Amino acid sequence: MRAGIDIGGTKINMGLIDESGRVIAKTKLPVRAEDGCASIVGSAARELLKMLDEIGASRKDVSFCGIGIPGTVSEDDRTAVFVENLGWKNENAADIFEQAAGIPCRLIHDAHAAAVGESKAGIAKGRKVVVCVTLGTGVGAGVIIDGKVYKGALGTAGEIGHCVSKPDGRQCNCGRRGCMETVSSGMGIEKAASEHPRFKGRAMKSREIFSAAADGDEAAMSIINEAVRALGDVLVCVVNVLSPDALVFSGGICGQKELYIDPVTDYIRSHAYPVAAGEGLLIATAALGEDAPMIGAALFGEG
Ligand SMILES: [Zn+2]
């Protein structure tokens, strides 16, 4: 069997997976970013050994453990180069895990892991070129070409949230301005509402903004329409450049089907190069839900 560990900004989702991607056992752990890499990875390793013990197995039964992290991974998949929301820079996370758990390990960007999961065990199984867009606090993507995750030469492939939508727009966490995720992510939608005269000073969560839009609030609707448009523009380019046969939406916001996913899908279908966006392109929401990065991390080591 394999193990997958998905380290997020506030929690770890981890589990034991069989070779087909089926979850044998799983659990969650809280994450406190201030604890640092060694402590967070060490506690995940201990929890994994405990899970194995509980099902009567041992570390020898696990051939591989993939660790998904919300940031950039080194070329050899062993170092967390830059993880903004955990404050990690050049952390030897794979070494730390292997020393603690005694199981071979590699790191993978969490958006890439979600793409591997959906490509090997989810909605895009059997597809040739898969783009999986993770819509959450930020916007990221993973690209799978012929079954393999495409990292790019510098490991940053799929950072579509940082394509420019408004050159002089809002400040982004990456240091630039006007990135698409400052408009189209959950955080971007919340920021737009906080700046809008209609909602000023209310600190609304994205789901409240969606629900206001569903109730016919025009200001909320215009914020969401802008988010749809900015994401749609970037995905039209992604579809035209990569010619995928599957485009999958994953992450928290992908539950907003009628107000977000359906309009983005229509936008891509009607604006991308016609052959690229025709019936050969599956556009769908993820089948594995929040487990996609965990399952993908576990499966990404296989050839
Ligand atoms: Zn950015």
Side-chain angles (χ1 to χ4, degrees):
M1 76 184 114
R2 291 160 174 268
I5 297 176
D6 172 25
I7 300 179
T10 57
K11 67 174 186 332
I12 296 173
N13 189 29
M14 55 190 286
L16 297 164
I17 317 289
D18 73 12
E19 295 295 327
S20 69
R22 197 178 59 87
V23 178
I24 299 164
K26 65 173 182 172
T27 189
K28 284 187 177 138
L29 287 179
V31 163
R32 289 185 313 174
E34 61 270 25
D35 286 348
C37 179
S39 163
I40 291 170
V41 171
S43 65
R46 281 191 301 279
E47 187 65 28
L48 184 64
L49 296 176
K50 199 173 115 198
M51 285 176 81
L52 285 166
D53 196 43
E54 281 166 6
I55 62 163
S58 79
R59 68 185 74 192
K60 292 192 184 65
D61 299 309
V62 181
S63 59
F64 173 78
C65 178
I67 301 183
I69 60 166
T72 305
V73 168
S74 63
E75 194 173 0
D76 63 2
D77 302 328
R78 299 196 59 82
T79 304
V81 174
F82 180 60
V83 184
E84 208 265 328
N85 62 9
L86 292 173
W88 296 3
K89 263 190 184 163
N90 296 318
E91 303 279 358
N92 298 321
D95 288 346
I96 295 167
F97 179 84
E98 287 179 356
Q99 275 160 23
I103 295 167
C105 161
R106 278 160 69 192
L107 311 177
I108 180 170
H109 189 299
D110 57 4
H112 296 188
V116 174
E118 291 298 331
S119 162
K120 290 193 184 290
I123 195 86
K125 202 170 173 181
R127 299 275 166 164
K128 195 172 160 62
V129 176
V130 179
V131 176
C132 179
V133 179
T134 299
L135 300 168
T137 314
V139 179
V143 179
I144 308 293
I145 299 175
D146 294 330
K148 292 237 155 84
V149 65
Y150 177 74
K151 289 171 64 179
L154 305 177
T156 62
E159 292 290 359
I160 61 168
H162 304 285
C163 295
V164 183
S165 290
K166 285 185 174 178
D168 300 313
R170 288 185 199 104
Q171 182 70 45
C172 182
N173 286 337
C174 74
R176 309 286 197 209
R177 298 192 82 89
C179 296
M180 178 265 277
E181 72 172 35
T182 69
V183 179
S184 301
S185 69
M187 206 170 52
I189 289 169
E190 288 167 9
K191 196 88 211 302
S194 76
E195 291 165 359
H196 197 286
R198 170 100 172 79
F199 304 117
K200 229 169 188 155
R202 280 173 56 183
M204 291 167 85
K205 293 309 234 178
S206 60
R207 66 171 182 285
E208 298 173 74
I209 300 157
F210 277 107
S211 116
D215 291 341
D217 187 290
E218 282 181 20
M221 204 59 231
S222 77
I223 289 167
I224 289 164
N225 285 342
E226 200 184 351
V228 165
R229 171 71 189 271
L231 177 63
D233 279 339
V234 170
L235 292 181
V236 163
C237 292
V238 168
V239 164
N240 288 353
V241 170
L242 291 175
S243 188
D245 54 353
L247 178 64
V248 181
F249 293 105
S250 181
I253 298 183
C254 79
Q256 298 292 345
K257 186 176 180 301
E258 276 152 34
L259 288 167
Y260 202 90
I261 300 304
D262 287 351
V264 168
T265 302
D266 292 344
Y267 191 89
I268 297 163
R269 293 273 188 220
S270 56
H271 289 82
Y273 186 67
V275 178
E279 59 188 21
L281 172 64
L282 168 75
I283 305 181
T285 47
L288 303 177
E290 65 163 5
D291 289 340
M294 173 185 89
I295 294 170
L299 294 178
F300 101 100
E302 73 185 2

